[in-house]
């Protein structure tokens, strides 16, 4: 008995369904990238670094977004607020499930970054011997109500 | 159009629409914060920090989803598939949405919807041979991504889940667990839980190789299992249920006998 993938590819080829082939190839390419992550240093670096995308070419980062990344890697967040009088402005150290860069933008985090006068945010992701760490300064935007994020090395 | 194809399409788009509807409140809040506290950062272009674009990408597809649910014509199905892909692509790259995994599932499901609406309609003979496989391949792909990212010493020890779920998750079940067990027991629970997730997600990659009907049931069971860890995971579980429905309906034995005659 043939594997389902063999049956499907044979049927697509027989019917000359290029669209079906394209979808299958795209799935195959993205799956191959995921499978390479544990065994290839370059794939691992790529996969972990896309969680720290400041300084990336936006298009390159966006191309990797369809890779499934649910609860991927060991991501840690460490926040030191500029003003620490309020309880919510105390230093914070915790795990983040995925996409640690997202913790610069959630409504809750935006609010407290502003209320606490800005913050220094350290993000790190670890995967099988590789650790990527990035540090950001979140500052009140000059002459505006918002915030500015910049890499702070 | 074969009935199983129509049913598969309606189930998948309905499940995405339901998740979208339930996320509306959260995205409204995100949009308000984009307005009240805009954040300028080195990655996102200005357009992808726009609150109106965020709301349009989230809520815009609801209209075509409802039209398809009401009367799924080929034209509507094709337009809906394109809209789903575009919406998910925007939400996956928007500053206020890129960190939500829902849109990965919706993005790939959109391509399946497009395949059904074009290739499935034009070549009904393909529906049964390729349709369930494509849906199963996508589910296997999502679990592959989840599993590979957890093949680490930390997840095997249960460290991230201990912190995220058992130390500070506000859910009532986790609060009860915290109140019932001491720290040593919590660590043991977190380790067992984490290892179970790692093994379960790794095993789910094999859904690719199963007969469609069995795979469909297993995907639903797996989705329910995921849902028990956090009630808000409906946002990812509902579209996965939709993919299970596609697998189920497209493996219908009626395709190729009555409807293609």
């Amino acid at each position: 008995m043939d594997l389902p993938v063999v049956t499907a590819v044979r049927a697509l080829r027989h019917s000359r369904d290029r669209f079906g082939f394209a979808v299958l190839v795209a799935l195959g390419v993205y799956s191959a990238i995921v499978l390479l992550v544990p065994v290839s240093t370059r794939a691992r670096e790529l996969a972990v670094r896309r969680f720290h995308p400041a300084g990336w070419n936006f298009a390159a980062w966006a191309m990797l977004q369809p890779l499934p990344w649910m609860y991927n890697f060991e991501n840690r967040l460490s926040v030191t607020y500029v003003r620490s009088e309020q309880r919510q402005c105390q230093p914070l150290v915790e795990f983040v499930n995925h996409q640690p860069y997202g913790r610069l933008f959630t409504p809750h985090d935006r609010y407290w970054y502003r209320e606490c006068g800005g913050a220094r945010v350290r993000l790190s992701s670890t995967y099988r011997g590789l650790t990527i760490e990035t540090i950001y300064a979140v500052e009140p935007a000059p002459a505006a109500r918002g915030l500015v994020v910049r890499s702070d090395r | 159009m074969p009935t199983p194809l129509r049913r598969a399409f309606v189930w998948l788009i309905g499940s995405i629409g339901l998740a979208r509807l339930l996320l509306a409140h959260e995205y409204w809040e995100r949009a308000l914060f984009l307005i009240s506290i805009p954040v300028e950062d080195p990655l996102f272009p200005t357009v992808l920090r726009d609150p109106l674009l965020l709301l349009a990408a989230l809520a815009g597809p609801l209209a075509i989803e409802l039209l398809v649910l009401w009367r799924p014509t080929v034209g509507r199905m094709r337009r809906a598939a394109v809209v789903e892909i575009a919406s998910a692509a925007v939400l996956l790259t928007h500053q206020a949405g890129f960190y939500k995994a829902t849109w990965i599932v919706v993005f790939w499901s959109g391509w399946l919807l497009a395949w059904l609406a074009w290739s499935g309609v034009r070549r009904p003979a393909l529906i049964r041979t390729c349709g369930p496989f494509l849906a199963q391949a996508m589910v296997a792909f999502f679990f592959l991504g989840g599993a590979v990212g957890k093949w680490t010493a930390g997840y095997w020890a249960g460290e991230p889940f201990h912190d995220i779920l058992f130390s500070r998750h506000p859910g009532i079940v986790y609060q009860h667990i915290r109140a019932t067990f001491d720290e040593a027991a919590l660590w043991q629970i977190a380790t067992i839980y984490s290892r179970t997730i790692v093994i379960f997600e790794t095993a789910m990659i094999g859904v690719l190789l199963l007969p469609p009907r069995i795979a469909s049931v297993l995907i639903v069971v797996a989705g329910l299992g995921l849902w028990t860890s956090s009630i808000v995971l409906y946002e990812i579980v509902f579209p996965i249920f939709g993919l299970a429905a596609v697998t189920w309906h497209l493996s219908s034995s009626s395709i190729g006998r009555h409807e293609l005659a």
Side-chain angles (χ1 to χ4, degrees):
Chain A
M1 200 173 83
D2 287 333
L3 287 170
V5 64
V6 176
T7 311
V9 168
R10 197 175 287 152
L12 289 171
R13 200 171 58 186
H14 181 71
S15 62
R16 294 180 184 169
D17 179 19
R18 288 184 186 162
F19 185 35
F21 252 126
V23 174
L24 209 54
V25 167
L27 262 178
V29 168
Y30 277 92
S31 299
I33 295 172
V34 176
L35 282 167
L36 282 171
V37 171
V39 293
S40 152
T41 313
R42 289 191 72 171
R44 192 175 310 160
E45 280 232 11
L46 190 74
V48 180
R49 279 193 189 279
R50 91 203 134 117
F51 274 12
H52 300 258
W56 270 53
N57 173 293
F58 176 79
W61 172 80
M63 288 294 288
L64 295 175
Q65 273 296 86
L67 285 170
W69 34 253
M70 299 79 161
Y71 283 78
N72 266 205
F73 318 135
E74 294 158 27
N75 308 294
R76 290 174 176 84
L77 165 80
S78 165
V79 182
T80 313
Y81 296 98
V82 171
R83 292 197 305 262
S84 55
E85 301 87 40
Q86 295 190 65
R87 187 174 59 84
Q88 290 87 349
C89 302
Q90 296 306 305
L92 180 70
V93 179
E94 61 186 35
F95 270 94
V96 180
N97 51 5
H98 46 233
Q99 294 280 11
Y101 193 63
R103 288 299 298 271
L104 296 165
F105 309 108
T106 70
H108 176 90
D109 289 306
R110 282 171 196 254
Y111 181 79
W112 288 110
Y113 291 143
R114 193 179 66 175
E115 283 298 297
C116 307
R120 193 161 187 268
V121 181
R122 181 193 299 260
L123 306 174
S124 80
S125 301
T126 301
Y127 187 75
R128 300 170 81 91
L130 172 71
T131 296
I132 304 290
E133 185 180 276
T134 43
I135 301 169
Y136 301 96
V138 184
E139 297 163 343
R145 63 187 183 284
L147 299 162
V148 176
V149 170
R150 60 176 175 79
S151 289
D152 186 16
R153 292 200 168 270
Chain B
M1 185 191 340
T3 306
L5 187 148
R6 196 172 60 237
R7 283 187 184 146
F9 197 97
V10 163
W11 271 90
L12 182 52
I13 208 157
S15 66
I16 293 169
L18 187 56
R20 194 184 290 284
L21 204 59
L22 292 169
L23 283 169
H25 176 261
E26 183 183 332
Y27 273 70
W28 177 245
E29 184 191 52
R30 289 182 188 209
L32 287 178
F33 274 83
L34 277 169
I35 296 166
S36 60
I37 313 177
V39 181
E40 197 181 305
D41 83 301
L43 180 69
F44 293 97
T46 310
V47 66
L48 288 168
R49 298 181 209 145
D50 189 297
L52 287 178
L53 180 65
L54 182 81
L55 290 178
L58 180 84
L62 280 170
I64 188 80
E65 286 165 359
L66 285 172
L67 284 173
V68 168
L69 292 176
W70 179 44
R71 200 156 59 87
T73 62
V74 172
R76 284 178 181 178
M77 287 162 62
R78 288 180 177 171
R79 281 192 292 277
V82 172
V83 167
E84 291 296 349
I85 295 167
S87 150
V90 169
L91 291 166
L92 263 181
T93 51
H94 194 287
Q95 193 198 57
F98 76 96
Y99 44 91
K100 204 168 232 345
T102 310
W103 309 117
I104 296 174
V105 179
V106 174
F107 178 77
W108 289 101
S109 298
W111 287 105
L112 181 58
L113 289 170
W115 182 80
L116 291 171
W118 269 278
S119 299
V121 168
R122 279 192 200 136
R123 303 178 177 86
L126 275 179
I127 298 171
R128 198 173 165 198
T129 44
C130 297
F133 175 74
L134 280 174
Q136 286 169 249
M138 286 181 185
V139 173
F141 174 58
F142 303 143
F143 279 101
L144 171 74
V148 167
K150 293 185 195 68
W151 292 347
T152 73
Y155 272 99
W156 194 244
E159 210 180 339
F161 281 124
H162 174 267
D163 181 51
I164 294 169
L165 299 180
F166 297 99
S167 291
R168 59 183 166 89
H169 194 286
I172 194 157
V173 174
Y174 295 105
Q175 286 188 38
H176 179 69
I177 291 172
R178 275 196 289 281
T180 309
F181 298 99
D182 62 18
E183 187 56 20
L186 282 180
W187 264 108
Q188 277 190 328
I189 293 168
T191 305
I192 293 167
Y193 178 86
S194 193
R195 287 181 186 182
T196 306
I197 295 282
V198 173
I199 293 166
F200 156 77
E201 287 193 344
T202 306
M204 278 301 289
I205 301 165
V207 82
L208 185 70
L209 304 170
L210 295 175
R213 289 276 162 125
I214 295 171
S216 177
V217 173
L218 192 65
I219 293 166
V220 171
V221 172
L224 290 172
L226 278 179
W227 206 2
T228 57
S229 69
S230 177
I231 196 78
V232 297
L233 282 184
Y234 65 78
E235 64 192 37
I236 203 162
V237 168
F238 284 2
I240 286 178
F241 285 163
L243 288 168
V246 170
T247 304
W248 181 272
H249 286 299
L250 296 189
S251 60
S252 162
S253 57
S254 67
I255 303 177
R257 278 201 267 126
H258 314 298
E259 312 215 30
L260 305 183

